[in-house]
Amino acid sequence: MALTTPARPRVSTAPARRRPSSTAARRRLAKTAVMVGLILGAVFAAGPVLWMLSSSFKSNTQIFELPPRLITDTFSFDAYVSIFTNPETVRFFINSYVVAGAVTILTLLVAIQAAYAFSRFEFRGKRIVNVIIVSVQAVPPITLLIPYFGLMVGLGLYNTYPGLIFTYMVFTLPYAIIMMTGYFNTLPKELDEAVRVDGAGSFTALWRVLVPISIPGIVSVGIYTFMIAWNEFLFALTLTRTIDMRTVPIGIQLLMGQHSYEWNQIMAMSILGSIPVLVLFLFFQRFFISGLTAGSVKS
């Protein structure tokens, strides 16, 4: 009886078909989800601003009409005309510019020199002072409201520009010193040594060498300081009494009367109050972003 060997299975030499990779599909799905999330976030962030801008060109009755419309048939500039022709509202903007500008300049002058000292020199009590500066950032401003009110009244600075300026500097200086110290730490100390070899002192090294190459950090700190001083409400309300010393945030609140609200003027004044910060950010955006990044690399 002849033995038969089992037939061997035939092995196909054709290349195996590749299954459709799910990696590309997952990537497309993730990219789509990110885009949808960004679009929703943009709508959520820009929606109130667009509605505020649209309402500033409407009358009070058009703002509350149903169904609501973002774009109205008749644009009215009455709200803006009322603001620019009213000496009190114009005074609000002048006060905000004076206070915010002075706070920004003084904060930068003090912070640059203090940060240079912390970055380049060793002195007794340096660590303690650093702890105090950081601790001030953790104190809620509202807890200092009553003490500052009594202090300003006692010093005769109540309802004055210096009272607001010095008060705001208490909250802007710690952050400015921390950020500028971190930025100066990224600059090599050989720059200072080269200046001293030429016979110049630390003052020249700071203002002739370090400050010109630290413009991004200075701009970022300046924009932040201006924003804090421009938008502050609580201390401006407490430390001022008369209309001629009120700032823009207080002026917006004063448009809310006891029996009626001037909504179109509130929206118009809010738009005008947002323009200075927006313009600063748009003009110095490159410096602002690079300054924040460089200041956080090394501290």
Side-chain angles (χ1 to χ4, degrees):
M1 182 176 181
L3 298 176
T4 58
T5 58
R8 296 181 180 179
R10 297 178 61 183
V11 179
S12 176
T13 58
R17 293 184 180 179
R18 296 182 178 178
R19 295 182 178 179
S21 177
S22 60
T23 303
R26 285 198 299 267
R27 288 179 179 177
R28 286 194 298 269
L29 182 61
K31 185 180 295 186
T32 303
V34 171
M35 292 300 298
V36 171
L38 291 176
I39 293 174
L40 292 177
V43 172
F44 181 79
V49 179
L50 293 176
W51 181 256
M52 182 172 62
L53 180 62
S54 174
S55 299
S56 66
F57 295 103
K58 299 177 182 178
S59 63
N60 284 335
T61 56
Q62 290 176 328
I63 293 176
F64 295 99
E65 66 180 0
L66 294 175
R69 291 189 298 175
L70 183 64
I71 300 177
T72 182
D73 297 332
T74 58
F75 283 87
S76 174
F77 292 89
D78 293 342
Y80 292 93
V81 172
S82 300
I83 290 174
F84 286 116
T85 56
N86 188 348
E88 292 182 356
T89 55
V90 173
R91 183 70 182 183
F92 296 152
F93 283 94
I94 294 175
N95 293 338
S96 288
Y97 279 116
V98 170
V99 173
V103 170
T104 302
I105 294 173
L106 292 177
T107 297
L108 288 176
L109 288 176
V110 176
I112 288 173
Q113 299 180 77
Y116 180 71
F118 283 118
S119 176
R120 292 299 194 262
F121 301 106
E122 294 293 335
F123 51 88
R124 182 178 300 177
K126 176 180 177 180
R127 185 181 300 274
I128 298 176
V129 176
N130 272 324
V131 172
I132 294 175
I133 292 175
V134 174
S135 300
V136 171
Q137 291 288 91
V139 177
I142 194 173
T143 61
L144 303 176
L145 184 62
I146 302 303
Y148 263 99
F149 177 80
L151 180 63
M152 293 301 147
V153 172
L155 295 177
L157 298 179
Y158 178 68
N159 200 49
T160 62
Y161 284 142
L164 286 178
I165 292 171
F166 293 148
T167 300
Y168 290 169
M169 287 182 64
V170 173
F171 306 108
T172 58
L173 263 178
Y175 174 85
I177 294 174
I178 293 172
M179 288 296 297
M180 289 307 304
T181 301
Y183 196 90
F184 284 152
N185 286 340
T186 63
L187 304 179
K189 294 184 178 181
E190 287 77 7
L191 295 173
D192 308 56
E193 297 173 358
V195 174
R196 293 191 183 93
V197 169
D198 293 338
S202 300
F203 188 84
T204 303
L206 172 61
W207 294 103
R208 294 291 183 87
V209 178
L210 297 185
V211 168
I213 63 179
S214 302
I215 295 300
I218 295 174
V219 168
S220 63
V221 172
I223 292 177
Y224 171 83
T225 303
F226 186 89
M227 289 172 56
I228 293 297
W230 182 269
N231 296 322
E232 205 283 324
F233 176 84
L234 184 61
F235 284 87
L237 178 64
T238 306
L239 300 181
T240 58
R241 180 183 68 255
T242 57
I243 293 295
D244 60 334
M245 284 301 302
R246 301 293 195 181
T247 57
V248 171
I250 310 302
I252 296 175
Q253 188 267 339
L254 291 177
L255 292 174
M256 301 178 184
Q258 182 177 1
H259 301 289
S260 64
Y261 288 1
E262 297 295 336
W263 286 110
N264 55 351
Q265 294 186 33
I266 292 174
M267 299 300 178
M269 198 166 180
S270 299
I271 291 293
L272 295 174
S274 304
I275 289 177
V277 177
L278 179 62
V279 170
L280 284 176
F281 184 79
L282 290 179
F283 272 97
F284 299 104
Q285 181 179 8
R286 177 169 58 89
F287 296 107
F288 182 74
I289 296 175
S290 60
L292 289 179
T293 305
S296 61
V297 172
K298 180 181 178 182
S299 59

